[in-house]
Each structure stands twice: as C-alpha cells, then as structure tokens.
PDB file of all heavy atoms in Angstrom:
ATOM      1  N   LEU A   1      -0.476  60.572  72.243  1.00 40.00           N
ATOM      2  CA  LEU A   1       0.578  61.573  72.190  1.00 40.00           C
ATOM      3  C   LEU A   1       0.801  62.101  70.780  1.00 40.00           C
ATOM      4  O   LEU A   1       1.784  62.789  70.521  1.00 40.00           O
ATOM      5  CB  LEU A   1       1.883  60.972  72.736  1.00 40.00           C
ATOM      6  CG  LEU A   1       1.846  60.561  74.201  1.00 40.00           C
ATOM      7  CD1 LEU A   1       3.157  59.875  74.575  1.00 40.00           C
ATOM      8  CD2 LEU A   1       1.603  61.760  75.093  1.00 40.00           C
ATOM      9  N   THR A   2      -0.108  61.781  69.842  1.00 56.00           N
ATOM     10  CA  THR A   2       0.057  62.221  68.461  1.00 56.00           C
ATOM     11  C   THR A   2       0.107  63.737  68.397  1.00 56.00           C
ATOM     12  O   THR A   2      -0.737  64.420  68.953  1.00 56.00           O
ATOM     13  CB  THR A   2      -1.097  61.713  67.589  1.00 56.00           C
ATOM     14  OG1 THR A   2      -1.153  60.294  67.681  1.00 56.00           O
ATOM     15  CG2 THR A   2      -0.891  62.131  66.137  1.00 56.00           C
ATOM     16  N   GLU A   3       1.096  64.267  67.703  1.00 66.00           N
ATOM     17  CA  GLU A   3       1.236  65.716  67.549  1.00 66.00           C
ATOM     18  C   GLU A   3       0.326  66.197  66.425  1.00 66.00           C
ATOM     19  O   GLU A   3       0.364  65.688  65.311  1.00 66.00           O
ATOM     20  CB  GLU A   3       2.688  66.082  67.223  1.00 66.00           C
ATOM     21  CG  GLU A   3       2.938  67.576  67.171  1.00 66.00           C
ATOM     22  CD  GLU A   3       2.918  68.212  68.546  1.00 66.00           C
ATOM     23  OE1 GLU A   3       3.354  67.554  69.505  1.00 66.00           O
ATOM     24  OE2 GLU A   3       2.460  69.351  68.649  1.00 66.00           O
ATOM     25  N   LEU A   4      -0.496  67.175  66.724  1.00 74.00           N
ATOM     26  CA  LEU A   4      -1.402  67.730  65.727  1.00 74.00           C
ATOM     27  C   LEU A   4      -0.609  68.587  64.749  1.00 74.00           C
ATOM     28  O   LEU A   4       0.236  69.375  65.145  1.00 74.00           O
ATOM     29  CB  LEU A   4      -2.471  68.575  66.413  1.00 74.00           C
ATOM     30  CG  LEU A   4      -3.555  69.173  65.522  1.00 74.00           C
ATOM     31  CD1 LEU A   4      -4.393  68.068  64.889  1.00 74.00           C
ATOM     32  CD2 LEU A   4      -4.443  70.100  66.339  1.00 74.00           C
ATOM     33  N   GLU A   5      -0.874  68.429  63.459  1.00 75.00           N
ATOM     34  CA  GLU A   5      -0.180  69.191  62.437  1.00 75.00           C
ATOM     35  C   GLU A   5      -1.122  70.200  61.796  1.00 75.00           C
ATOM     36  O   GLU A   5      -2.333  69.972  61.702  1.00 75.00           O
ATOM     37  CB  GLU A   5       0.383  68.263  61.354  1.00 75.00           C
ATOM     38  CG  GLU A   5       1.456  67.307  61.872  1.00 75.00           C
ATOM     39  CD  GLU A   5       2.017  66.441  60.771  1.00 75.00           C
ATOM     40  OE1 GLU A   5       1.482  66.505  59.639  1.00 75.00           O
ATOM     41  OE2 GLU A   5       2.976  65.705  61.030  1.00 75.00           O
ATOM     42  N   ALA A   6      -0.562  71.316  61.355  1.00 72.00           N
ATOM     43  CA  ALA A   6      -1.355  72.322  60.668  1.00 72.00           C
ATOM     44  C   ALA A   6      -1.847  71.771  59.345  1.00 72.00           C
ATOM     45  O   ALA A   6      -1.142  71.046  58.656  1.00 72.00           O
ATOM     46  CB  ALA A   6      -0.528  73.590  60.450  1.00 72.00           C
ATOM     47  N   GLY A   7      -3.075  72.116  59.000  1.00 70.00           N
ATOM     48  CA  GLY A   7      -3.616  71.684  57.718  1.00 70.00           C
ATOM     49  C   GLY A   7      -5.087  71.358  57.839  1.00 70.00           C
ATOM     50  O   GLY A   7      -5.731  71.653  58.861  1.00 70.00           O
ATOM     51  N   PRO A   8      -5.652  70.752  56.793  1.00 74.00           N
ATOM     52  CA  PRO A   8      -7.065  70.367  56.833  1.00 74.00           C
ATOM     53  C   PRO A   8      -7.337  69.446  58.006  1.00 74.00           C
ATOM     54  O   PRO A   8      -6.521  68.589  58.331  1.00 74.00           O
ATOM     55  CB  PRO A   8      -7.264  69.649  55.495  1.00 74.00           C
ATOM     56  CG  PRO A   8      -6.170  70.163  54.616  1.00 74.00           C
ATOM     57  CD  PRO A   8      -5.007  70.414  55.518  1.00 74.00           C
ATOM     58  N   VAL A   9      -8.472  69.635  58.648  1.00 80.00           N
ATOM     59  CA  VAL A   9      -8.799  68.814  59.800  1.00 80.00           C
ATOM     60  C   VAL A   9      -9.090  67.390  59.348  1.00 80.00           C
ATOM     61  O   VAL A   9      -9.750  67.159  58.333  1.00 80.00           O
ATOM     62  CB  VAL A   9      -9.991  69.414  60.569  1.00 80.00           C
ATOM     63  CG1 VAL A   9     -11.246  69.427  59.734  1.00 80.00           C
ATOM     64  CG2 VAL A   9     -10.213  68.692  61.884  1.00 80.00           C
ATOM     65  N   ALA A  10      -8.551  66.407  60.082  1.00 80.00           N
ATOM     66  CA  ALA A  10      -8.646  65.010  59.669  1.00 80.00           C
ATOM     67  C   ALA A  10     -10.036  64.429  59.900  1.00 80.00           C
ATOM     68  O   ALA A  10     -10.479  63.554  59.170  1.00 80.00           O
ATOM     69  CB  ALA A  10      -7.596  64.182  60.399  1.00 80.00           C
ATOM     70  N   GLU A  11     -10.711  64.897  60.942  1.00 86.00           N
ATOM     71  CA  GLU A  11     -12.026  64.372  61.271  1.00 86.00           C
ATOM     72  C   GLU A  11     -13.080  65.460  61.106  1.00 86.00           C
ATOM     73  O   GLU A  11     -12.805  66.640  61.310  1.00 86.00           O
ATOM     74  CB  GLU A  11     -12.047  63.890  62.722  1.00 86.00           C
ATOM     75  CG  GLU A  11     -11.072  62.775  63.031  1.00 86.00           C
ATOM     76  CD  GLU A  11     -11.056  62.457  64.512  1.00 86.00           C
ATOM     77  OE1 GLU A  11     -10.471  63.230  65.271  1.00 86.00           O
ATOM     78  OE2 GLU A  11     -11.644  61.435  64.895  1.00 86.00           O
ATOM     79  N   LYS A  12     -14.259  65.068  60.746  1.00 90.00           N
ATOM     80  CA  LYS A  12     -15.347  66.028  60.633  1.00 90.00           C
ATOM     81  C   LYS A  12     -15.540  66.714  61.983  1.00 90.00           C
ATOM     82  O   LYS A  12     -15.673  66.053  63.010  1.00 90.00           O
ATOM     83  CB  LYS A  12     -16.640  65.340  60.206  1.00 90.00           C
ATOM     84  CG  LYS A  12     -17.817  66.305  60.075  1.00 90.00           C
ATOM     85  CD  LYS A  12     -19.083  65.595  59.623  1.00 90.00           C
ATOM     86  CE  LYS A  12     -20.235  66.581  59.509  1.00 90.00           C
ATOM     87  NZ  LYS A  12     -21.491  65.915  59.079  1.00 90.00           N
ATOM     88  N   THR A  13     -15.530  68.030  61.972  1.00 93.00           N
ATOM     89  CA  THR A  13     -15.673  68.802  63.203  1.00 93.00           C
ATOM     90  C   THR A  13     -16.748  69.857  62.998  1.00 93.00           C
ATOM     91  O   THR A  13     -16.614  70.727  62.127  1.00 93.00           O
ATOM     92  CB  THR A  13     -14.354  69.471  63.597  1.00 93.00           C
ATOM     93  OG1 THR A  13     -13.343  68.467  63.768  1.00 93.00           O
ATOM     94  CG2 THR A  13     -14.508  70.253  64.893  1.00 93.00           C
ATOM     95  N   VAL A  14     -17.808  69.763  63.777  1.00 94.00           N
ATOM     96  CA  VAL A  14     -18.928  70.700  63.687  1.00 94.00           C
ATOM     97  C   VAL A  14     -18.864  71.655  64.871  1.00 94.00           C
ATOM     98  O   VAL A  14     -18.718  71.229  66.022  1.00 94.00           O
ATOM     99  CB  VAL A  14     -20.279  69.952  63.676  1.00 94.00           C
ATOM    100  CG1 VAL A  14     -21.441  70.947  63.665  1.00 94.00           C
ATOM    101  CG2 VAL A  14     -20.363  69.027  62.468  1.00 94.00           C
ATOM    102  N   VAL A  15     -18.962  72.946  64.592  1.00 96.00           N
ATOM    103  CA  VAL A  15     -18.899  73.977  65.620  1.00 96.00           C
ATOM    104  C   VAL A  15     -20.238  74.699  65.707  1.00 96.00           C
ATOM    105  O   VAL A  15     -20.796  75.110  64.683  1.00 96.00           O
ATOM    106  CB  VAL A  15     -17.795  74.999  65.318  1.00 96.00           C
ATOM    107  CG1 VAL A  15     -17.832  76.158  66.317  1.00 96.00           C
ATOM    108  CG2 VAL A  15     -16.433  74.327  65.340  1.00 96.00           C
ATOM    109  N   THR A  16     -20.741  74.818  66.921  1.00 95.00           N
ATOM    110  CA  THR A  16     -21.924  75.639  67.190  1.00 95.00           C
ATOM    111  C   THR A  16     -21.476  76.795  68.063  1.00 95.00           C
ATOM    112  O   THR A  16     -20.861  76.582  69.112  1.00 95.00           O
ATOM    113  CB  THR A  16     -23.012  74.836  67.922  1.00 95.00           C
ATOM    114  OG1 THR A  16     -23.368  73.698  67.132  1.00 95.00           O
ATOM    115  CG2 THR A  16     -24.250  75.697  68.166  1.00 95.00           C
ATOM    116  N   VAL A  17     -21.748  78.015  67.639  1.00 96.00           N
ATOM    117  CA  VAL A  17     -21.336  79.183  68.413  1.00 96.00           C
ATOM    118  C   VAL A  17     -22.393  80.270  68.273  1.00 96.00           C
ATOM    119  O   VAL A  17     -23.060  80.377  67.251  1.00 96.00           O
ATOM    120  CB  VAL A  17     -19.952  79.689  67.948  1.00 96.00           C
ATOM    121  CG1 VAL A  17     -19.996  80.201  66.515  1.00 96.00           C
ATOM    122  CG2 VAL A  17     -19.395  80.750  68.888  1.00 96.00           C
ATOM    123  N   GLY A  18     -22.552  81.039  69.355  1.00 94.00           N
ATOM    124  CA  GLY A  18     -23.535  82.114  69.347  1.00 94.00           C
ATOM    125  C   GLY A  18     -24.832  81.763  70.025  1.00 94.00           C
ATOM    126  O   GLY A  18     -25.749  82.578  70.087  1.00 94.00           O
ATOM    127  N   ARG A  19     -24.934  80.551  70.537  1.00 91.00           N
ATOM    128  CA  ARG A  19     -26.143  80.159  71.267  1.00 91.00           C
ATOM    129  C   ARG A  19     -25.750  79.452  72.553  1.00 91.00           C
ATOM    130  O   ARG A  19     -24.988  78.482  72.533  1.00 91.00           O
ATOM    131  CB  ARG A  19     -27.044  79.266  70.421  1.00 91.00           C
ATOM    132  CG  ARG A  19     -26.430  77.945  70.025  1.00 91.00           C
ATOM    133  CD  ARG A  19     -27.392  77.032  69.272  1.00 91.00           C
ATOM    134  NE  ARG A  19     -27.639  77.468  67.924  1.00 91.00           N
ATOM    135  CZ  ARG A  19     -28.125  76.681  66.956  1.00 91.00           C
ATOM    136  NH1 ARG A  19     -28.433  75.408  67.228  1.00 91.00           N
ATOM    137  NH2 ARG A  19     -28.320  77.122  65.739  1.00 91.00           N
ATOM    138  N   ASN A  20     -26.235  79.922  73.662  1.00 88.00           N
ATOM    139  CA  ASN A  20     -25.937  79.293  74.950  1.00 88.00           C
ATOM    140  C   ASN A  20     -26.882  78.153  75.275  1.00 88.00           C
ATOM    141  O   ASN A  20     -26.645  77.382  76.187  1.00 88.00           O
ATOM    142  CB  ASN A  20     -25.964  80.335  76.064  1.00 88.00           C
ATOM    143  CG  ASN A  20     -24.797  81.296  75.959  1.00 88.00           C
ATOM    144  OD1 ASN A  20     -23.893  81.099  75.150  1.00 88.00           O
ATOM    145  ND2 ASN A  20     -24.805  82.346  76.767  1.00 88.00           N
ATOM    146  N   ASN A  21     -27.977  78.072  74.533  1.00 88.00           N
ATOM    147  CA  ASN A  21     -28.886  76.933  74.609  1.00 88.00           C
ATOM    148  C   ASN A  21     -28.834  76.247  73.252  1.00 88.00           C
ATOM    149  O   ASN A  21     -29.254  76.820  72.242  1.00 88.00           O
ATOM    150  CB  ASN A  21     -30.313  77.395  74.934  1.00 88.00           C
ATOM    151  CG  ASN A  21     -31.276  76.230  75.090  1.00 88.00           C
ATOM    152  OD1 ASN A  21     -31.099  75.172  74.479  1.00 88.00           O
ATOM    153  ND2 ASN A  21     -32.305  76.422  75.897  1.00 88.00           N
ATOM    154  N   LEU A  22     -28.307  75.057  73.193  1.00 89.00           N
ATOM    155  CA  LEU A  22     -28.068  74.382  71.926  1.00 89.00           C
ATOM    156  C   LEU A  22     -29.346  74.002  71.207  1.00 89.00           C
ATOM    157  O   LEU A  22     -29.302  73.620  70.022  1.00 89.00           O
ATOM    158  CB  LEU A  22     -27.218  73.141  72.152  1.00 89.00           C
ATOM    159  CG  LEU A  22     -25.818  73.389  72.737  1.00 89.00           C
ATOM    160  CD1 LEU A  22     -25.108  72.071  72.978  1.00 89.00           C
ATOM    161  CD2 LEU A  22     -25.007  74.280  71.808  1.00 89.00           C
ATOM    162  N   THR A  23     -30.505  74.097  71.865  1.00 87.00           N
ATOM    163  CA  THR A  23     -31.768  73.741  71.223  1.00 87.00           C
ATOM    164  C   THR A  23     -32.379  74.912  70.474  1.00 87.00           C
ATOM    165  O   THR A  23     -33.379  74.743  69.773  1.00 87.00           O
ATOM    166  CB  THR A  23     -32.780  73.234  72.265  1.00 87.00           C
ATOM    167  OG1 THR A  23     -33.087  74.293  73.192  1.00 87.00           O
ATOM    168  CG2 THR A  23     -32.227  72.041  73.028  1.00 87.00           C
ATOM    169  N   THR A  24     -31.801  76.114  70.600  1.00 85.00           N
ATOM    170  CA  THR A  24     -32.347  77.279  69.904  1.00 85.00           C
ATOM    171  C   THR A  24     -31.723  77.406  68.521  1.00 85.00           C
ATOM    172  O   THR A  24     -30.761  76.721  68.186  1.00 85.00           O
ATOM    173  CB  THR A  24     -32.075  78.573  70.687  1.00 85.00           C
ATOM    174  OG1 THR A  24     -30.665  78.862  70.641  1.00 85.00           O
ATOM    175  CG2 THR A  24     -32.520  78.438  72.134  1.00 85.00           C
ATOM    176  N   GLY A  25     -32.265  78.321  67.731  1.00 82.00           N
ATOM    177  CA  GLY A  25     -31.762  78.525  66.381  1.00 82.00           C
ATOM    178  C   GLY A  25     -30.829  79.699  66.259  1.00 82.00           C
ATOM    179  O   GLY A  25     -30.526  80.137  65.135  1.00 82.00           O
ATOM    180  N   ASN A  26     -30.381  80.245  67.389  1.00 85.00           N
ATOM    181  CA  ASN A  26     -29.491  81.401  67.327  1.00 85.00           C
ATOM    182  C   ASN A  26     -28.084  80.983  66.914  1.00 85.00           C
ATOM    183  O   ASN A  26     -27.732  79.809  66.920  1.00 85.00           O
ATOM    184  CB  ASN A  26     -29.436  82.101  68.690  1.00 85.00           C
ATOM    185  CG  ASN A  26     -30.790  82.629  69.102  1.00 85.00           C
ATOM    186  OD1 ASN A  26     -31.582  83.031  68.264  1.00 85.00           O
ATOM    187  ND2 ASN A  26     -31.053  82.610  70.408  1.00 85.00           N
ATOM    188  N   GLY A  27     -27.253  81.983  66.597  1.00 92.00           N
ATOM    189  CA  GLY A  27     -25.862  81.708  66.274  1.00 92.00           C
ATOM    190  C   GLY A  27     -25.722  80.983  64.954  1.00 92.00           C
ATOM    191  O   GLY A  27     -26.578  81.059  64.070  1.00 92.00           O
ATOM    192  N   ILE A  28     -24.613  80.269  64.809  1.00 93.00           N
ATOM    193  CA  ILE A  28     -24.367  79.519  63.574  1.00 93.00           C
ATOM    194  C   ILE A  28     -23.885  78.112  63.905  1.00 93.00           C
ATOM    195  O   ILE A  28     -23.335  77.861  64.978  1.00 93.00           O
ATOM    196  CB  ILE A  28     -23.329  80.213  62.674  1.00 93.00           C
ATOM    197  CG1 ILE A  28     -21.929  80.177  63.310  1.00 93.00           C
ATOM    198  CG2 ILE A  28     -23.732  81.641  62.345  1.00 93.00           C
ATOM    199  CD1 ILE A  28     -20.821  80.507  62.340  1.00 93.00           C
ATOM    200  N   VAL A  29     -24.098  77.211  62.967  1.00 95.00           N
ATOM    201  CA  VAL A  29     -23.552  75.859  63.025  1.00 95.00           C
ATOM    202  C   VAL A  29     -22.756  75.680  61.740  1.00 95.00           C
ATOM    203  O   VAL A  29     -23.301  75.819  60.635  1.00 95.00           O
ATOM    204  CB  VAL A  29     -24.641  74.786  63.133  1.00 95.00           C
ATOM    205  CG1 VAL A  29     -24.013  73.393  63.168  1.00 95.00           C
ATOM    206  CG2 VAL A  29     -25.504  75.027  64.365  1.00 95.00           C
ATOM    207  N   THR A  30     -21.480  75.389  61.857  1.00 95.00           N
ATOM    208  CA  THR A  30     -20.629  75.271  60.686  1.00 95.00           C
ATOM    209  C   THR A  30     -19.550  74.234  60.946  1.00 95.00           C
ATOM    210  O   THR A  30     -19.466  73.681  62.054  1.00 95.00           O
ATOM    211  CB  THR A  30     -20.002  76.639  60.324  1.00 95.00           C
ATOM    212  OG1 THR A  30     -19.280  76.521  59.088  1.00 95.00           O
ATOM    213  CG2 THR A  30     -19.060  77.127  61.423  1.00 95.00           C
ATOM    214  N   GLU A  31     -18.733  73.965  59.952  1.00 93.00           N
ATOM    215  CA  GLU A  31     -17.670  72.981  60.098  1.00 93.00           C
ATOM    216  C   GLU A  31     -16.306  73.655  60.169  1.00 93.00           C
ATOM    217  O   GLU A  31     -16.146  74.811  59.782  1.00 93.00           O
ATOM    218  CB  GLU A  31     -17.693  71.980  58.932  1.00 93.00           C
ATOM    219  CG  GLU A  31     -18.909  71.079  58.930  1.00 93.00           C
ATOM    220  CD  GLU A  31     -18.814  69.996  57.876  1.00 93.00           C
ATOM    221  OE1 GLU A  31     -17.702  69.724  57.386  1.00 93.00           O
ATOM    222  OE2 GLU A  31     -19.862  69.411  57.538  1.00 93.00           O
ATOM    223  N   VAL A  32     -15.336  72.923  60.672  1.00 93.00           N
ATOM    224  CA  VAL A  32     -13.947  73.371  60.702  1.00 93.00           C
ATOM    225  C   VAL A  32     -13.270  72.895  59.422  1.00 93.00           C
ATOM    226  O   VAL A  32     -13.400  71.729  59.047  1.00 93.00           O
ATOM    227  CB  VAL A  32     -13.217  72.814  61.940  1.00 93.00           C
ATOM    228  CG1 VAL A  32     -11.713  73.060  61.841  1.00 93.00           C
ATOM    229  CG2 VAL A  32     -13.780  73.440  63.207  1.00 93.00           C
ATOM    230  N   THR A  33     -12.555  73.800  58.756  1.00 86.00           N
ATOM    231  CA  THR A  33     -11.886  73.436  57.511  1.00 86.00           C
ATOM    232  C   THR A  33     -10.403  73.145  57.696  1.00 86.00           C
ATOM    233  O   THR A  33      -9.831  72.368  56.930  1.00 86.00           O
ATOM    234  CB  THR A  33     -12.044  74.547  56.471  1.00 86.00           C
ATOM    235  OG1 THR A  33     -11.498  75.771  56.989  1.00 86.00           O
ATOM    236  CG2 THR A  33     -13.513  74.758  56.129  1.00 86.00           C
ATOM    237  N   GLU A  34      -9.774  73.784  58.679  1.00 85.00           N
ATOM    238  CA  GLU A  34      -8.353  73.534  58.926  1.00 85.00           C
ATOM    239  C   GLU A  34      -8.003  73.889  60.359  1.00 85.00           C
ATOM    240  O   GLU A  34      -8.749  74.611  61.033  1.00 85.00           O
ATOM    241  CB  GLU A  34      -7.471  74.337  57.963  1.00 85.00           C
ATOM    242  CG  GLU A  34      -7.547  75.837  58.150  1.00 85.00           C
ATOM    243  CD  GLU A  34      -6.573  76.575  57.256  1.00 85.00           C
ATOM    244  OE1 GLU A  34      -5.358  76.328  57.388  1.00 85.00           O
ATOM    245  OE2 GLU A  34      -7.014  77.401  56.452  1.00 85.00           O
ATOM    246  N   VAL A  35      -6.895  73.390  60.826  1.00 88.00           N
ATOM    247  CA  VAL A  35      -6.431  73.668  62.185  1.00 88.00           C
ATOM    248  C   VAL A  35      -4.984  74.141  62.141  1.00 88.00           C
ATOM    249  O   VAL A  35      -4.201  73.713  61.291  1.00 88.00           O
ATOM    250  CB  VAL A  35      -6.559  72.437  63.098  1.00 88.00           C
ATOM    251  CG1 VAL A  35      -8.017  72.116  63.358  1.00 88.00           C
ATOM    252  CG2 VAL A  35      -5.846  71.233  62.506  1.00 88.00           C
ATOM    253  N   VAL A  36      -4.656  75.033  63.081  1.00 87.00           N
ATOM    254  CA  VAL A  36      -3.289  75.534  63.218  1.00 87.00           C
ATOM    255  C   VAL A  36      -2.908  75.411  64.688  1.00 87.00           C
ATOM    256  O   VAL A  36      -3.369  76.177  65.523  1.00 87.00           O
ATOM    257  CB  VAL A  36      -3.155  76.995  62.769  1.00 87.00           C
ATOM    258  CG1 VAL A  36      -1.712  77.457  62.907  1.00 87.00           C
ATOM    259  CG2 VAL A  36      -3.636  77.168  61.333  1.00 87.00           C
ATOM    260  N   PRO A  37      -2.086  74.420  65.054  1.00 89.00           N
ATOM    261  CA  PRO A  37      -1.726  74.217  66.461  1.00 89.00           C
ATOM    262  C   PRO A  37      -0.594  75.132  66.901  1.00 89.00           C
ATOM    263  O   PRO A  37       0.194  75.610  66.089  1.00 89.00           O
ATOM    264  CB  PRO A  37      -1.279  72.756  66.496  1.00 89.00           C
ATOM    265  CG  PRO A  37      -0.720  72.520  65.129  1.00 89.00           C
ATOM    266  CD  PRO A  37      -1.534  73.357  64.186  1.00 89.00           C
ATOM    267  N   TYR A  38      -0.547  75.382  68.184  1.00 89.00           N
ATOM    268  CA  TYR A  38       0.569  76.100  68.808  1.00 89.00           C
ATOM    269  C   TYR A  38       1.518  75.013  69.314  1.00 89.00           C
ATOM    270  O   TYR A  38       1.233  74.344  70.300  1.00 89.00           O
ATOM    271  CB  TYR A  38       0.057  76.946  69.963  1.00 89.00           C
ATOM    272  CG  TYR A  38       1.065  77.883  70.608  1.00 89.00           C
ATOM    273  CD1 TYR A  38       0.725  79.192  70.900  1.00 89.00           C
ATOM    274  CD2 TYR A  38       2.343  77.465  70.956  1.00 89.00           C
ATOM    275  CE1 TYR A  38       1.632  80.064  71.495  1.00 89.00           C
ATOM    276  CE2 TYR A  38       3.252  78.320  71.542  1.00 89.00           C
ATOM    277  CZ  TYR A  38       2.885  79.622  71.817  1.00 89.00           C
ATOM    278  OH  TYR A  38       3.794  80.478  72.409  1.00 89.00           O
ATOM    279  N   VAL A  39       2.631  74.834  68.651  1.00 85.00           N
ATOM    280  CA  VAL A  39       3.576  73.781  69.024  1.00 85.00           C
ATOM    281  C   VAL A  39       4.124  74.065  70.421  1.00 85.00           C
ATOM    282  O   VAL A  39       4.654  75.138  70.689  1.00 85.00           O
ATOM    283  CB  VAL A  39       4.728  73.694  68.009  1.00 85.00           C
ATOM    284  CG1 VAL A  39       5.744  72.642  68.442  1.00 85.00           C
ATOM    285  CG2 VAL A  39       4.186  73.382  66.617  1.00 85.00           C
ATOM    286  N   GLY A  40       3.946  73.125  71.324  1.00 86.00           N
ATOM    287  CA  GLY A  40       4.440  73.276  72.685  1.00 86.00           C
ATOM    288  C   GLY A  40       3.372  73.682  73.677  1.00 86.00           C
ATOM    289  O   GLY A  40       3.625  73.703  74.882  1.00 86.00           O
ATOM    290  N   ARG A  41       2.187  74.025  73.192  1.00 91.00           N
ATOM    291  CA  ARG A  41       1.064  74.334  74.083  1.00 91.00           C
ATOM    292  C   ARG A  41      -0.172  73.576  73.594  1.00 91.00           C
ATOM    293  O   ARG A  41      -0.316  73.301  72.407  1.00 91.00           O
ATOM    294  CB  ARG A  41       0.756  75.835  74.098  1.00 91.00           C
ATOM    295  CG  ARG A  41       1.885  76.698  74.645  1.00 91.00           C
ATOM    296  CD  ARG A  41       1.424  78.118  74.937  1.00 91.00           C
ATOM    297  NE  ARG A  41       2.547  78.981  75.290  1.00 91.00           N
ATOM    298  CZ  ARG A  41       2.438  80.214  75.770  1.00 91.00           C
ATOM    299  NH1 ARG A  41       1.233  80.744  75.951  1.00 91.00           N
ATOM    300  NH2 ARG A  41       3.507  80.925  76.069  1.00 91.00           N
TER     301      ARG A  41
END
C-alpha cells in the first residue's frame, strides 16, 4: 500500500518503446529518470 511520491525513480526502470517485437532493433530503449503519480488514481 506504499504511496508513490513524485521524484527520482527509486528502482532502475528500463523502457522499451516503438517496437512491437522486442527482439528487433526498432524504437528506443531508455531509462526512467523520475515519476509523477496522480494522487488518488
């Protein structure tokens, strides 16, 4: 039930976007630097 707080992400988070097949080289692979939660959702 820990409430997520805005700020730098606590855990390493890698995002892959732009490729529907994760084995291809399309799109980008990058990390998350910070998170901004919607309080109550």
Side-chain angles (χ1 to χ4, degrees):
L1 297 175
T2 303
E3 185 72 34
L4 183 64
E5 296 182 354
V9 64
E11 299 174 284
K12 180 179 180 180
T13 302
V14 177
V15 174
T16 302
V17 65
R19 63 176 73 161
N20 290 352
N21 183 331
L22 299 177
T23 63
T24 70
N26 298 327
I28 68 165
V29 179
T30 186
E31 292 187 18
V32 169
T33 58
E34 66 175 300
V35 291
V36 181
Y38 187 135
V39 177
R41 297 193 188 190

